Amino acid sequence: MASKASSDSREPMNEQIILNTYANMRSEINQIYSKITELEMEVSEHSLVIGAIQPLDPSRRCYRMVSGVLVERTIKEVLPAVQHNKEGLEEVIARLNEALEKKKKEISEFEFKYKIKIKKADSETSEGTNQKEGSAQGVLVGPAS
C-alpha cells in the first residue's frame, strides 16, 4: 500500500516539474524577445546619430558619452566608432535571433512531447486588437511645412 501512495505522489510532482520547466522555457523566450527589442532600439538610436552627423564637417567638434563620461571629440573620430558599435549590435541581434529560433524549436518539441496546449480566452484576443489600435495614441505629428 505504501508503494501505491508514493507512486501517486510522484505523478503530480512529475507534472509540476514539467509545468515549471515549461514556464522557465517561456520565460527565457520572453527575456530573449526583450533583449532583442532593447538592442533594436539602440541600433535605431545609432542610426539616428549616424544620419545626423554624417553630412557634417569631419573636423567639427562633437560630444560622446563613454562609460558615463562626456568626452569631446571630432566627428571624424566619433563616426567610425558609432558605426562599429552599430555593426556589433546588429551581430548580437542576429545571434539572439538564432538563439530565439532554437528556443522556439525546443519549446515546440517540449509541447509535443508532453502534449501541452495553450488556450487563449476570447477576452485576451479582443484586448490584443484594442491594444494595437491604441498604440498609435500619443503620436504627435506637426503640420507639414
Side-chain angles (χ1 to χ4, degrees), residues 56-78:
L56 301 175
D57 178 28
S59 62
R60 187 172 173 174
R61 283 188 298 171
C62 68
Y63 298 89
R64 179 174 181 223
M65 185 75 70
V66 178
S67 300
V69 178
L70 192 62
V71 294
E72 181 180 337
R73 298 277 187 252
T74 63
I75 290 177
K76 180 175 68 177
E77 296 169 328
V78 170

Side-chain angles (χ1 to χ4, degrees):
M1 286 264 209
S3 63
K4 186 177 181 184
S6 66
S7 68
D8 288 344
S9 66
R10 286 183 189 164
E11 188 69 32
M13 181 68 162
N14 193 17
E15 188 174 303
Q16 189 64 39
I17 291 171
I18 291 169
L19 290 174
N20 288 341
T21 304
Y22 183 72
N24 288 338
M25 293 170 83
R26 300 277 302 188
S27 174
E28 288 175 15
I29 285 178
N30 288 336
Q31 288 173 352
I32 294 172
Y33 271 126
S34 296
K35 194 63 178 175
I36 288 172
T37 304
E38 177 186 333
L39 292 176
E40 285 175 343
M41 293 290 288
E42 286 192 32
V43 167
S44 174
E45 290 174 8
H46 278 68
S47 296
L48 288 172
V49 170
I50 291 168
I53 67 174
Q54 206 164 22
L56 301 175
D57 178 28
S59 62
R60 187 172 173 174
R61 283 188 298 171
C62 68
Y63 298 89
R64 179 174 181 223
M65 185 75 70
V66 178
S67 300
V69 178
L70 192 62
V71 294
E72 181 180 337
R73 298 277 187 252
T74 63
I75 290 177
K76 180 175 68 177
E77 296 169 328
V78 170
L79 188 58
V82 173
Q83 289 171 333
H84 179 72
N85 286 350
K86 181 184 171 199
E87 291 167 5
L89 288 170
E90 289 170 341
E91 290 174 15
V92 171
I93 289 171
R95 279 188 266 143
L96 282 173
N97 278 323
E98 290 172 10
L100 181 63
E101 291 306 314
K102 269 188 190 176
K103 265 304 173 193
K104 282 181 177 180
K105 185 178 179 184
E106 184 180 320
I107 201 167
S108 171
E109 291 171 356
F110 192 82
E111 288 172 347
F112 181 74
K113 180 178 178 182
Y114 293 104
K115 298 176 177 77
I116 298 173
K117 294 194 166 82
I118 306 295
K119 294 181 182 177
K120 294 185 180 178
D122 290 337
S123 61
E124 288 180 9
T125 56
S126 65
E127 287 176 14
T129 57
N130 292 340
Q131 187 178 16
K132 288 179 185 172
E133 292 170 2
S135 66
Q137 294 178 354
V139 176
L140 181 62
V141 179
S145 4

